[in-house]
Amino acid sequence: MATFLNSPDWDEHEWIELVHDRKSGLTAIIALHSTHCGPGAGGTRFWHYPDPADAMTDALRLSRGMSYKNAMAGLPMGGGKAVVLLDSDGTKTEAMLDAFGDAIEALGGAYVTAEDVGASEADMVAISKRTSHVCGLPVEQGMAGGDPGPFTAYGIYLGIKAAVEHKLGKANMAGVHVALQGCGSVGSGVARLLAAEGARLTMADIDEARAARLAADVGGKAVAAGEIMSTPCDVFSPNALGAILDTNGVAALDCAIVAGGANNQIARPENGVELFRRDILYAPDYVINAGGIINVSLEYLARRDGQPCTAETVNRRIGQIPDRLREIWRESAASGQGAEVVAGETARKLIGR
Ligand code: NAD
């Protein structure tokens, strides 16, 4: 217990619920970092953790990230996240989802869940049988929702355009070279939007066939996963893993801008400082990748209040992401601090810390 409270990940979380249901075999952690701005909103990760201590670390780091992300997106939501600890065979049963829904309901609306890694729309539908504090449900008439990936990609595309204008003085993407790491739901969405505007694209994925297919589709070039970070380009867009901007990662970059959707890109604070020292414009991940949570949060609020909420409304809100990035970059230039530091300070003020 003492070790856990001494960990920087603890960061004075408001509430941590450890759930175990003997009947279904469900073991889950629900972490609520801050409800200062509203109910803690953030997805549920279904994952097998060989060391359960890593599940707690994940829950704490991710829920704090959601506090920052939701506050910076101007959503009336706080930060929370849940992890469900799966067996090594990844078994997820209806009974487990029922028990998990009951656990969320027992929190009385303090926590609102949605999809994260290992979760599907069908899982959210199952959970919604036991609680109304769930979003990311299938799209219904006049209501946002569904797969957050395309909404996240749209926000990143807008953020990349803003960065290109800010740093390179270019009003459109024609001929701008973007190197994309990760060709999954988010990366492929970003690639398609950029390609439609004439950007020059290089991409990589550890699934080489996936990168090759996307490159053929959008008219770009696929390279090996190990080459993408050092590809000379205007924009490096990380859309795969976190912690890629470590000492070696930052040293490898040959770009003017880093702007992409992967969560927790900067490994350690000094790596953000080094990015700034190298005069690489950085779009803080939790600001640029908020499109998905904006979509599901607006869906949740609309359902709760019995109001309609269309994709147009959601996209209008996502359209505010570039303004927030520009504010951060202006403040960063004025204060001589990296964008990550400025964003972190702003987010903490917003959540009253
Ligand atoms: P995804 O699983 O659909 O795609 C990730 C892709 O990255 C896969 O194709 C995978 O093969 C590839 N990949 C993994 N390691 C790689 C490596 N070392 N080099 C190159 N490619 C690699 O996931 P996604 O939904 O597209 O999410 C991508 C990132 O964006 C994740 O960090 C996620 O946490 C973050 N994110 C996603 C959303 C969303 O709405 N989906 C929202 C916010 C943040």
Side-chain angles (χ1 to χ4, degrees):
M1 185 68 171
T3 319
F4 156 63
L5 290 176
N6 286 336
S7 149
D9 302 323
W10 158 238
D11 196 38
E12 297 186 75
H13 271 67
E14 286 178 15
W15 193 346
I16 296 166
E17 188 85 0
L18 177 58
V19 186
H20 182 64
D21 178 59
R22 277 181 67 82
K23 223 162 135 196
S24 64
L26 172 83
T27 305
I29 299 166
I30 302 174
L32 280 173
H33 177 253
S34 166
T35 54
H36 183 82
C37 297
T44 297
R45 179 162 294 191
F46 292 80
W47 199 249
H48 168 61
Y49 293 90
D51 180 353
D54 293 337
M56 181 60 90
T57 305
D58 242 8
L60 295 177
R61 285 190 188 161
L62 291 164
S63 68
R64 179 179 52 193
M66 291 312 300
S67 289
Y68 286 22
K69 190 182 298 198
N70 294 337
M72 293 299 273
L75 294 167
M77 309 299 266
K81 200 88 181 183
V83 296
V84 172
L85 290 79
L86 298 181
D87 286 341
S88 56
D89 61 6
T91 305
K92 189 200 303 170
T93 64
E94 209 178 314
M96 284 163 71
L97 293 172
D98 283 349
F100 186 56
D102 289 343
I104 294 173
E105 184 62 22
L107 298 179
Y111 171 64
V112 179
T113 201
E115 294 92 339
D116 192 66
V117 176
S120 65
E121 228 174 59
D123 295 335
M124 296 306 119
V125 172
I127 291 168
S128 73
K129 290 181 189 141
R130 309 296 272 246
T131 182
S132 60
H133 306 300
V134 53
C135 46
L137 296 167
V139 179
E140 287 169 12
Q141 197 74 29
M143 192 60 88
D147 178 9
F151 293 94
T152 303
Y154 179 57
I156 294 162
Y157 155 75
L158 295 178
I160 290 176
K161 277 170 65 73
V164 163
E165 188 169 21
H166 187 87
K167 179 81 181 169
L168 308 176
K170 296 193 74 164
N172 65 62
M173 293 301 296
V176 175
H177 186 191
V178 183
L180 293 137
Q181 181 183 52
C183 302
S185 168
V186 173
S188 64
V190 174
R192 285 178 210 290
L193 291 164
L194 292 173
E197 241 185 71
R200 190 178 139 218
L201 301 178
T202 302
M203 59 208 73
D205 197 293
I206 44 168
D207 180 342
E208 289 185 3
R210 181 177 279 182
R213 266 197 313 275
L214 182 64
D217 255 21
V218 300
K221 180 182 167 201
V223 297
E227 285 174 36
I228 197 71
M229 283 190 79
S230 54
T231 297
C233 59
D234 297 305
V235 183
F236 170 62
S237 183
N239 296 293
L241 296 180
I244 43 128
L245 298 173
D246 57 10
T247 305
N248 293 336
V250 174
L253 294 173
D254 188 356
C255 61
I257 294 162
V258 174
N263 279 315
N264 304 326
Q265 292 163 28
I266 294 188
R268 300 170 60 84
E270 58 266 31
N271 306 128
V273 173
E274 180 61 9
L275 265 184
F276 185 64
R277 203 194 58 74
R278 287 198 55 198
D279 197 24
I280 295 172
L281 187 71
Y282 178 62
D285 43 35
Y286 53 85
V287 180
I288 195 172
N289 74 12
I293 191 73
I294 290 173
N295 176 43
V296 294
S297 293
L298 294 187
E299 168 207 343
Y300 174 74
L301 295 169
R303 271 182 215 284
R304 188 194 66 183
D305 302 340
Q307 302 286 335
C309 176
T310 61
E312 287 71 40
T313 309
V314 173
N315 283 333
R316 234 186 349 264
R317 281 298 286 268
I318 295 174
Q320 295 167 358
I321 288 176
D323 296 335
R324 283 187 202 100
L325 289 171
R326 281 188 280 266
E327 271 168 42
I328 291 167
W329 295 325
R330 269 196 298 269
E331 172 65 25
S332 165
S335 66
Q337 290 182 300
E340 182 73 358
V341 174
V342 170
E345 283 175 358
T346 311
R348 288 189 84 77
K349 263 186 222 144
L350 289 170
I351 63 172
R353 299 267 176 128

